[in-house]
Amino acid sequence: MQRATPGMIMSEDSFFAELRKRKVFQVAAIYGAIAWGVTEIIVTVTEQLFLPTWVSTLAVIAFVVGFPIAIFLSWTFDITSEGIQRTTVSSRRGKVSIAGSMVLLVAFTAGLFLLIKPSVRQAEITTGATAIVPNSIAVLPFENASQDPDDTYLSQGLSDELRDQLGRVSGLRIAARSPSVAAIEQGLDALSTAKRLGVANLLEGNVRRQGNLLRVSVQLIGGSDGLAAWSMTYERGPKELLSVQQSIVEAVLAHVLPDSELIEAEPATRNVNANELMLLARHYEQQVRDRQVVDEDTLLEAVRLYREATEADTGSALAHSRLAGALLYLGDLESAEAPIFKALALNPNLSEVQNTMGEFYWARGLPEASTAFARAVELNPNNADALHNYASGAFLSEEWHHQGVDQLFRRALDLDPLSLSRHAALGEFYGQSGRVEDVRGVIRGVQELFDNAESYRLIGWLKELIGEIDQAIAWTIRARNHEPDNPDHVLFLAHLYAEIGEFETALQLEPEPGLGLLFQMRRYQDLIDDAEFLMIEEPHDMGVRYMLAFAYQATGKFESAIHVLSSTGLPDTLLNDNARTASEIEGFATLFNALAGIGQRETSEMARSLAEFFDQDPWWGDIGWIGLYRGCTLAILGRNEEALQSLVQARKASRLLREPVIRDLFCFRQFSEAQEYQDILVDQERRKATLRERLPTTLAEFGFEL
């Protein structure tokens, strides 16, 4: 080892003496504290005011760049009673140390910048425009140029039909309806619209009907330069809209896919009368779907028109498929069966037909749903609805944990980025998978794209998924204040307060508690009374039956629980490997708990048999409510050590576990004295208490009061 020489010691003494004299350490400490505090404030303000993420990133960069400047100034100048004066160097070695220290300072700053550069770059990628996809087009809503507002269905219907017809062309990517509509509503110009939607071409136009003359003006615009690549005005008779539609499609394909072989894109129908009926029917149906509220009168009018369209053109697979889709949305499964199978017989190679077929199977709880959705995606990889449905089906099957499901949800969202339901589905998938940071990423995406009551409540729900219920309450209050006449906001708010044990506040919001709130409060007898009445009033609501069965099981009425669950089709629906829902899984677990609770040899064997089937399912995970039910399953099988370990794993979930399930499932009674079981109860109560304590501060940050 080299011994330190007197010269080395003197250099070090001189260097640190200069640092102390020039108060560099004090300035660095003060600068760091101020930078940290201000950055925290900026990050908070950025989130609350929905500012882009680059604002906070820019602040960090500014403080990094400012650090060497502050240190240099503290080295060079000093504040005295006589004002700001340049500091003198007290030794020759001090002068030498200036150069060395400045080199180190610059190197440190450069290293810090390189450290944060990947995060900055990632923020740019996240917040930047969507990449332009070759051979892509967005069909914007056509304008109704008529004097009569009743002709709106013609302009909107034509653009929707063009979008669907072009979407059936292999090799052409079509932007979904919702972002195309939003681009017009936001008043974006052509270049901004193309950049937002990530398309190379835009198709826009208007429709005017005057007496017996139909005038359609249309133009194809380049997404890169905003210039019209093709335009045309058609003047036809009132019954010639279908021929105009076909001409537009052929012209667009000739410009967008000029080097492809002859492509034929069939319209939904070639019957003029059927086409007119389908345009009007779709107009009514879309009104209902856009509001996401089942307006029966409007939807029944759409059904009537679709049915007339199928009579006008009995060979149109899409007319029958759309009739079935409207009936499914209405909840009339029986009436939907004939038209969807008719559509399948007419043309099984249409993505829309296969997707509607999958929705029918899904509503029936049949395993063929997944096959139909997969076929719909195969026929049209750009069908956002089919991608969404296929991913949702896979999510509730043994494939849910595979990366492919993540990609399906992502593809659906990329195609339809302004659909809140796409963001919600992806966020739920991440939340149930325990991917907290990915959920936060979805939340940031929602904040950047939306600013309405529905998006606020969605953020609240996603916050609940990751256990940040104080934030969830604040966002839901914002939704309620923005849309005070919507009772759904108030009901969800009551649910959130009940989650953290604030039952008094929950009851103030929901004075006549529904089944969900009664369940959270463990008021099982009240739940039983209400659910028994609702079973008569709403006999097809399986959720009511599952909740009633749980209440029976929790109060020791095991035979009644088994009877109610048998009426839902359990256990056959899961034993036959049909599509699973959360309610079905919970109902199945309630069933084998009720069987075990009876305590007879025969029923106990049946309970173990069902639990053994459940345990073999590769769908299981160990986090959150899934791990909770897995622990229950293992307890029924007598594998108590494994069951307790599953409870330990379940505690790791960021989302709060449901207290009624922990406390009142029969399988957990044997663990009442076990330390692992007591730990999970204590942990949940501690987390709730922390959230209650944090809530006033969180609400104050949002500008709300308790």
Side-chain angles (χ1 to χ4, degrees):
M1 179 182 295
Q2 183 182 2
R3 296 178 60 188
T5 66
M8 292 173 62
I9 295 173
M10 289 177 66
S11 296
E12 291 173 3
D13 289 343
S14 298
F15 176 66
F16 287 106
E18 290 293 337
L19 291 178
R20 286 192 296 272
K21 177 182 178 182
R22 299 164 187 270
K23 299 182 174 62
V24 172
F25 292 126
Q26 294 94 319
V27 170
I30 294 171
Y31 185 92
I34 293 174
W36 180 268
V38 173
T39 301
E40 286 295 306
I41 294 172
I42 291 174
V43 169
T44 302
V45 172
T46 298
E47 180 178 347
Q48 301 304 325
L49 297 182
F50 310 104
L51 298 176
T53 55
W54 60 259
V55 174
S56 54
T57 304
L58 185 62
V60 174
I61 294 174
F63 280 121
V64 171
V65 173
F67 179 73
I69 297 173
I71 298 302
F72 175 78
L73 291 174
S74 71
W75 182 281
T76 308
F77 299 98
D78 193 12
I79 300 176
T80 69
S81 58
E82 300 177 359
I84 298 176
Q85 295 183 353
R86 189 179 184 89
T87 307
T88 58
V89 181
S90 60
S91 69
R92 285 181 296 173
R93 291 189 178 89
K95 293 179 180 179
V96 174
S97 66
I98 292 176
S101 62
M102 288 306 296
V103 170
L104 291 174
L105 185 60
V106 172
F108 169 77
T109 304
L112 185 59
F113 182 78
L114 290 175
L115 183 65
I116 69 171
K117 184 178 179 181
S119 300
V120 175
R121 176 61 181 158
Q122 183 61 41
E124 292 174 353
I125 294 172
T126 303
T127 59
T130 305
I132 301 297
V133 179
N135 300 335
S136 58
I137 186 171
V139 181
L140 304 181
F142 280 24
E143 180 187 357
N144 175 26
S146 303
Q147 299 297 322
D148 189 352
D150 291 340
D151 287 338
T152 300
Y153 80 94
L154 288 173
S155 56
Q156 291 184 352
L158 177 58
S159 57
D160 286 343
E161 288 299 323
L162 287 168
R163 186 181 301 109
D164 287 349
Q165 191 172 347
L166 289 168
R168 294 192 285 274
V169 175
S170 177
L172 188 64
R173 175 168 172 173
I174 310 295
R177 181 181 185 275
S178 59
S180 301
V181 172
I184 293 297
E185 291 177 346
Q186 294 172 9
L188 300 179
D189 58 31
L191 291 177
S192 299
T193 300
K195 189 178 295 185
R196 169 71 69 86
L197 302 181
V199 295
N201 303 276
L202 299 171
L203 187 67
E204 65 178 18
N206 61 69
V207 178
R208 179 190 299 272
R209 180 156 66 176
Q210 289 181 318
N212 292 325
L213 181 65
L214 190 67
R215 192 173 189 271
V216 179
S217 297
V218 60
Q219 59 179 343
L220 183 68
I221 301 172
S224 59
D225 53 21
L227 301 178
W230 166 80
S231 63
M232 181 64 69
T233 297
Y234 301 87
E235 291 188 355
R236 298 287 191 273
K239 295 293 186 180
E240 296 183 77
L241 185 62
L242 186 57
S243 66
V244 171
Q245 176 183 322
Q246 191 65 23
S247 297
I248 294 172
V249 168
E250 292 170 357
V252 168
L253 293 178
H255 282 80
V256 179
L257 299 174
D259 299 326
S260 300
E261 298 179 359
L262 183 63
I263 299 173
E264 186 175 358
E266 287 289 325
T269 176
R270 289 191 177 275
N271 182 286
V272 173
N273 292 330
N275 185 64
E276 182 90 5
L277 289 165
M278 289 175 69
L279 291 179
L280 189 54
R282 187 167 190 167
H283 174 69
Y284 286 128
E285 182 186 6
Q286 199 62 56
Q287 285 182 358
V288 177
R289 289 183 181 269
D290 286 345
R291 291 197 300 267
Q292 297 187 341
V293 176
V294 180
D295 180 344
E296 285 198 13
D297 292 339
T298 304
L299 202 52
L300 284 171
E301 180 62 13
V303 166
R304 183 187 69 80
L305 292 164
Y306 277 134
R307 186 167 279 117
E308 288 186 13
T310 62
E311 294 168 357
D313 184 1
T314 57
S316 171
L318 288 173
H320 290 281
S321 176
R322 291 175 189 176
L323 170 60
L327 288 166
L328 287 172
Y329 201 77
L330 187 62
D332 190 350
L333 274 63
E334 298 297 330
S335 299
E337 183 171 1
I340 188 53
F341 277 102
K342 177 67 173 178
L344 192 67
L346 288 168
N347 193 344
N349 295 320
L350 290 175
S351 179
E352 183 179 326
V353 170
Q354 289 289 348
N355 184 58
T356 306
M357 187 80 247
E359 290 176 344
F360 174 76
Y361 284 139
W362 181 265
R364 287 288 192 187
L366 299 174
E368 291 86 352
S370 182
T371 303
F373 291 141
R375 178 61 176 154
V377 171
E378 179 185 355
L379 290 167
N380 183 2
N382 296 322
N383 186 334
D385 289 332
L387 287 164
H388 179 107
N389 290 334
Y390 186 27
S392 297
F395 184 22
L396 294 171
S397 72
E398 65 273 11
E399 301 296 326
W400 77 277
H401 54 285
H402 289 181
Q403 187 177 5
V405 178
D406 187 338
Q407 294 172 349
L408 288 170
F409 277 125
R410 267 286 170 202
R411 282 169 56 193
L413 180 58
D414 290 342
L415 288 163
D416 196 6
L418 296 184
S419 169
L420 270 173
S421 63
R422 311 291 188 216
H423 292 270
L426 182 62
E428 180 181 16
F429 171 75
Y430 287 147
Q432 299 290 12
S433 306
R435 296 163 61 173
V436 174
E437 288 307 314
D438 287 326
V439 176
R440 291 197 176 105
V442 173
I443 291 172
R444 287 193 294 272
V446 172
Q447 288 179 278
E448 290 174 1
L449 292 172
F450 304 94
D451 185 16
N452 55 42
E454 190 178 0
S455 68
Y456 301 156
R457 195 170 90 233
L458 171 58
I459 293 173
W461 179 63
L462 294 175
K463 288 286 188 181
E464 183 200 11
L465 279 181
I466 57 177
E468 297 175 359
I469 298 184
D470 57 323
Q471 292 272 332
I473 289 173
W475 279 102
T476 308
I477 290 175
R478 176 172 282 174
R480 182 198 61 183
N481 292 352
H482 194 78
E483 200 175 57
D485 295 331
N486 189 334
D488 292 341
H489 304 321
V490 178
L491 294 178
F492 185 56
L493 193 56
H495 156 76
L496 292 172
Y497 274 107
E499 278 286 285
I500 60 174
E502 288 279 3
F503 297 130
E504 184 177 345
T505 305
L507 287 172
Q508 289 175 358
L509 292 163
E510 193 179 349
E512 298 181 4
L515 298 187
L517 187 53
L518 291 173
F519 173 79
Q520 288 179 280
M521 298 172 66
R522 301 170 66 207
R523 288 170 47 178
Y524 295 123
Q525 190 54 55
D526 291 335
L527 193 159
I528 289 170
D529 293 341
D530 290 353
E532 286 177 339
F533 176 77
L534 285 174
M535 276 183 59
I536 300 172
E537 192 176 64
E538 302 177 24
H540 300 296
D541 191 333
M542 294 297 103
V544 172
R545 294 173 186 259
Y546 291 137
M547 204 166 292
L548 175 59
F550 186 95
Y552 279 142
Q553 180 269 161
T555 53
K557 300 175 182 177
F558 301 119
E559 292 86 353
S560 298
I562 295 168
H563 175 73
V564 170
L565 290 169
S566 298
S567 70
T568 69
L570 288 174
D572 294 340
T573 51
L574 262 72
L575 292 176
N576 293 333
D577 197 29
N578 291 336
R580 301 164 178 82
T581 65
S583 293
E584 270 187 323
I585 292 169
E586 293 169 341
F588 194 86
T590 301
L591 177 60
F592 62 66
N593 270 273
L595 287 166
I598 292 176
Q600 298 176 2
R601 179 178 178 180
E602 182 180 358
T603 58
S604 296
E605 289 179 355
M606 290 176 63
R608 284 192 293 272
S609 177
L610 294 178
E612 188 172 35
F613 166 80
F614 225 24
D615 183 52
Q616 293 172 352
D617 197 326
W619 188 86
W620 283 118
D622 292 318
I623 302 299
W625 69 274
I626 300 173
L628 202 61
Y629 278 105
R630 176 165 172 74
C632 180
T633 302
L634 294 169
I636 294 293
L637 293 172
R639 294 155 59 182
N640 291 350
E641 288 299 321
E642 293 178 70
L644 290 172
Q645 284 305 307
S646 188
L647 292 183
V648 171
Q649 290 296 317
R651 278 183 55 189
K652 296 179 180 179
S654 55
R655 188 181 192 182
L656 287 177
L657 301 174
R658 287 190 291 178
E659 187 172 354
V661 175
I662 303 171
R663 292 187 180 275
D664 300 322
L665 269 181
F666 175 80
C667 58
F668 293 135
R669 293 183 184 179
Q670 60 184 300
F671 298 140
S672 59
E673 302 300 324
Q675 188 61 50
E676 294 88 344
Y677 179 74
Q678 289 298 320
D679 286 346
I680 201 171
L681 296 179
V682 171
D683 174 72
Q684 293 296 301
E685 288 303 321
R686 176 189 58 78
R687 290 174 61 182
K688 290 178 183 179
T690 300
L691 287 165
R692 290 194 297 268
E693 292 172 4
R694 214 164 63 193
L695 182 59
T697 302
T698 301
L699 293 182
E701 291 173 355
F702 278 73
F704 305 139
E705 296 180 358
L706 278 173

